[in-house]
Amino acid sequence: MNIPEYIRRFYPNAKTRRQLIIVVKILVATLAAYLLFIEFDNRSLSTPNFPKPLSRYHIQLIILFGLGMVLNFLLDVSLWRQISSSTQHASMSKAAFHHLRSITFGIITPYNVGEFGGKARQFKGAIEQVKAIYLTYVFRFVKMSARNLTGAIALLWMVYTGKIPEIQTWQAYSILFVALGIIAMYFQMERIIPLISGIVVLGRKFFLPLARITMKPSKKVFWLLLGIAKFFVYPTQFVLALLFFSSNAEPTIGLFAMVLIYYSVAAFLPSAQIIDPLVKGAAGILILARVTDSPEAILLATTAVWGFNVAIPAIIGTALLFVRQKRT
């Protein structure tokens, strides 16, 4: 598709777009750091006092949080294995290794593009790797669709129950409508393939193999359900961590629904994996102020969820890469 000349004059090239994205991410991270500094300075925040020794209740929270980490990883791997099997069968262990690899590459690369490279290496041959890049996009789109739908439903419930009076019902319905529209796009995704399969790049039709990928509607429904189940884990872990770090937090439906909204909104903030706790922590303090008055607990809970679900798998993935390289 050709961009009209009068638009092309003002449309930035690829290098400029990358630079703009980096600038925006730096600005968001700086704003997040500033908000945290102001919050800490105004409230004279300090590290929460942990119970010594830990009570049975707090030990149970730690165990459930750890089980959530395992469940989150297994759901992620299962979702990727199901999607990647559309073109090539993969064992659970193989899918797990390459998912760990993608987390490792994603955390050290701009825009998290390393995830595409990590998952593409699960396949042999240039054609299969082109398919893998597309399937990685589907993998991310499924999770985004599940996150949007869940967050929109949670927001509608909060508005109906009067817990977010500043948002009108029609606005909540509009957000839900957009989320459903994105899901409709997800179910019609294969219609995009004919539009791009014929594109010639460097004299070759690199996207032509995508036309051979078939995705049944029943599979897409199953993937979406897996995505929804996976998305529920993060908020559940966050609530568990918040209950551990805060002495006044109560495990209510309103708190859980607000955390669902928080993770849905925070996912759209321009950020990088390595500074995610900073950005999401600041967003959490702003969004969750109505359900808890413990910003230090929010920041710690955000960091704990990120650390156990992203940082630790990235470290494990790095170790596995070194082991494999030594063997070869």
Side-chain angles (χ1 to χ4, degrees):
M1 182 176 63
N2 296 325
I3 301 175
E5 186 62 32
Y6 65 91
I7 295 179
R8 189 178 302 174
R9 295 175 185 175
F10 305 98
Y11 190 75
N13 56 35
K15 182 179 180 181
T16 304
R17 291 199 302 271
R18 288 195 297 268
Q19 292 173 343
L20 287 174
I21 291 173
I22 292 174
V23 169
V24 170
K25 288 185 177 182
I26 292 174
L27 289 176
V28 171
T30 303
L31 178 61
Y34 175 74
L35 290 174
L36 289 176
F37 174 78
I38 295 298
E39 191 73 29
F40 282 17
D41 186 59
N42 289 343
R43 303 198 185 194
S44 300
L45 301 180
S46 59
T47 304
N49 295 320
F50 303 115
K52 298 179 181 179
L54 292 176
S55 66
R56 181 178 179 182
Y57 170 71
H58 288 89
I59 293 175
Q60 290 174 341
L61 291 178
I62 294 174
I63 293 173
L64 290 174
F65 186 92
L67 291 175
M69 171 189 171
V70 176
L71 180 60
N72 177 72
F73 178 74
L74 290 177
L75 287 172
D76 243 348
V77 173
S78 297
L79 179 59
W80 168 242
R81 179 173 176 264
Q82 291 290 331
I83 293 176
S84 63
S85 294
S86 297
T87 182
Q88 185 183 100
H89 177 74
S91 64
M92 194 70 175
S93 59
K94 185 177 181 180
F97 172 78
H98 288 280
H99 180 65
L100 284 171
R101 182 203 291 260
S102 69
I103 294 176
T104 301
F105 290 163
I107 203 172
I108 61 175
T109 53
Y111 327 121
N112 201 26
V113 295
E115 180 180 4
F116 288 87
K119 286 184 165 60
R121 295 191 182 190
Q122 176 175 314
F123 302 86
K124 304 298 181 183
I127 292 179
E128 294 301 317
Q129 288 184 352
V130 169
K131 294 179 182 180
I133 292 174
Y134 171 71
L135 292 175
T136 304
Y137 168 75
V138 174
F139 173 75
R140 296 177 67 164
F141 201 94
V142 170
K143 294 200 291 184
M144 181 190 70
S145 301
R147 183 176 64 240
N148 292 343
L149 177 62
T150 307
I153 293 174
L155 176 63
L156 185 60
W157 183 83
M158 291 288 283
V159 170
Y160 255 120
T161 55
K163 292 181 172 58
I164 308 182
E166 58 269 31
I167 297 181
Q168 302 296 319
T169 304
W170 71 267
Q171 294 173 322
Y173 271 117
S174 298
I175 294 173
L176 179 59
F177 179 78
V178 172
L180 292 173
I182 292 174
I183 290 179
M185 291 173 57
Y186 159 63
F187 279 101
Q188 298 297 321
M189 192 173 292
E190 66 276 3
R191 295 181 181 273
I192 301 174
I193 295 179
L195 300 178
I196 65 175
S197 60
I199 296 177
V200 179
V201 180
L202 299 177
R204 295 183 59 185
K205 295 183 179 181
F206 288 97
F207 304 111
L208 192 59
L210 301 183
R212 304 172 191 168
I213 299 176
T214 57
M215 300 179 183
K216 296 180 180 179
S218 58
K219 288 185 177 180
K220 289 185 176 182
V221 172
F222 181 62
W223 298 346
L224 184 62
L225 292 176
L226 273 180
I228 292 173
K230 183 257 182 299
F231 176 64
F232 267 97
V233 178
Y234 263 45
T236 301
Q237 284 184 294
F238 183 92
V239 171
L240 292 171
L242 195 63
L243 294 174
F244 181 87
F245 291 123
S246 176
S247 58
N248 59 2
E250 295 292 336
T252 63
I253 298 177
L255 172 62
F256 186 73
M258 201 67 206
V259 174
L260 288 174
I261 297 170
Y262 155 59
Y263 269 104
S264 298
V265 173
F268 289 100
L269 293 175
S271 180
Q273 284 284 14
I274 199 68
I275 59 171
D276 222 31
L278 174 67
V279 175
K280 283 190 170 60
I285 290 174
L286 293 175
I287 296 174
L288 300 175
R290 68 178 65 247
V291 291
T292 177
D293 59 353
S294 181
E296 67 272 25
I298 292 174
L299 183 60
L300 288 171
T302 302
T303 304
V305 173
W306 177 87
F308 281 87
N309 292 289
V310 179
I312 290 179
I315 293 172
I316 295 173
T318 303
L320 290 175
L321 285 175
F322 278 121
V323 170
R324 175 164 288 197
Q325 287 177 354
K326 286 183 178 180
R327 289 179 178 176
T328 55

